Amino acid sequence: MALINVAAMKKPSILVLYTGGTIGMMKDPRTGSLVPFDFGNIYEHMPILRNLDYVIDFYSFENLIDSSNMTPEFWIELAEKIEENYEKYDGFVVLHGSDTMAYSASALSFMLENLAKPVVFTGSQLPMGMVRSDGRENFVTSIEIAASKINGEPCVPEVCIFFENQLLRGNRATKFNAENFNAFSSGNYPPLAEVGIKIKYNREFIGYKNKTAGVTTPKKLIVHKKFDRNVGILKLFPGITLDFVKHALHTPGLKGVIMETFGSGNAPTSEWFLDELADAIRKGLIIYNVTQCKSGSVEMGRYETSLNLDKIGVISGYDITTESALAKMMYLLGEGFTRSNVKKYLQESLRGEMTV
Ligand code: ASP
């Protein structure tokens, strides 16, 4: 008698976490306005889901939000839901507004240390309940990706973003288009998968070695749940004033600043500007140099305009995105590492977020 391998027959199981945003909206036929979708009736709205033959469960957060209202507290709720259900499901799909999706995906990548299952963020430009919506395709493909395995192992054990036809590493992605279905780019890291009639996984680019800060970690999932919000972003521009820089750097309680510089990490060479930065660094502020360009890396010392930044103790963010830099700084400061360790880890790749 042939033996039946029960484990191999088990249907893939996916937990869909709905946080809010356009994707989960549909037009109320009575009023014409957009209202949140009732995921309890999802199979009625999307019978095609039955063809997947997966176990798909849904969890809707009580406080559904437009992602412009996203907060670190919400990131913690989201990570806790994944933690609670981690053993039960093969993968997770997070339905999230696209506006701040790159921040949330970055934050979750730092929170979920030793992640070994897919966490796929997706959303849409048009609500799922509209005729030409990109939401249905994004949703179904994300579920497929979250469930896909090769040799019994998940294809993409990472926090990632799926949009239109590309799967991107979450902490490398940026929303670059407010209207097109193709809304996200990843200027410094190749797509993890490209989707046409087949889903083609770029296996050599998938999977990062988790590296946390000073500890040899066991393989078990570790969820970090602390963020320090005493950070800021200072975007440089021609004509920036002393007053503006001074006020920004003297924000009460401020511990870290992401300084968005020009090109390969360049900034004005004016004495007043460098003095302000140097003074803030002396007083303990961490200044992290991230380029305004969507592709390419900070290279301090390449031009005279970045040489002095290096000398006064500004640290390099290499090719990290602003979204990822912000989440990383909040996470490292939240974990309570010493200032010198925060600076050290900011310059190392912890979750594949930068090329050093
Ligand atoms: N404003 C919406 C949000 O980010 C846009 C979207 O869902 O794509 O929540």
Side-chain angles (χ1 to χ4, degrees), residues 20-23 65-68 96-100 124-125 163 175:
T22 302
I23 190 165
I65 56 166
D66 183 292
S67 77
S68 301
H96 190 292
S98 59
D99 289 349
T100 62
S124 68
Q125 296 283 50
F163 233 83
K175 183 174 181 183

Side-chain angles (χ1 to χ4, degrees), residues 225-288:
K225 300 180 189 173
K226 288 189 207 131
F227 288 97
D228 192 326
R229 294 167 74 147
N230 289 305
V231 299
I233 299 175
L234 175 62
K235 181 168 183 156
L236 301 185
F237 55 90
I240 196 165
T241 62
L242 171 61
D243 251 8
F244 184 75
V245 173
K246 206 186 246 317
H247 277 96
L249 299 183
H250 284 86
T251 303
L254 192 69
K255 295 181 188 153
V257 164
I258 286 113
M259 185 166 73
E260 274 200 4
T261 54
F262 309 120
S264 54
N266 305 316
T269 47
S270 341
E271 216 176 295
W272 67 261
F273 176 74
L274 292 167
D275 284 351
E276 275 307 313
L277 296 187
D279 184 51
I281 292 169
R282 256 194 314 275
K283 289 181 179 141
L285 192 72
I286 297 169
I287 303 186
Y288 199 29

Side-chain angles (χ1 to χ4, degrees), residues 198-209:
K198 285 188 184 154
I199 301 178
K200 282 194 199 146
Y201 292 98
N202 293 326
R203 295 182 50 78
E204 71 271 37
F205 299 115
I206 297 176
Y208 43 79
K209 279 205 191 82

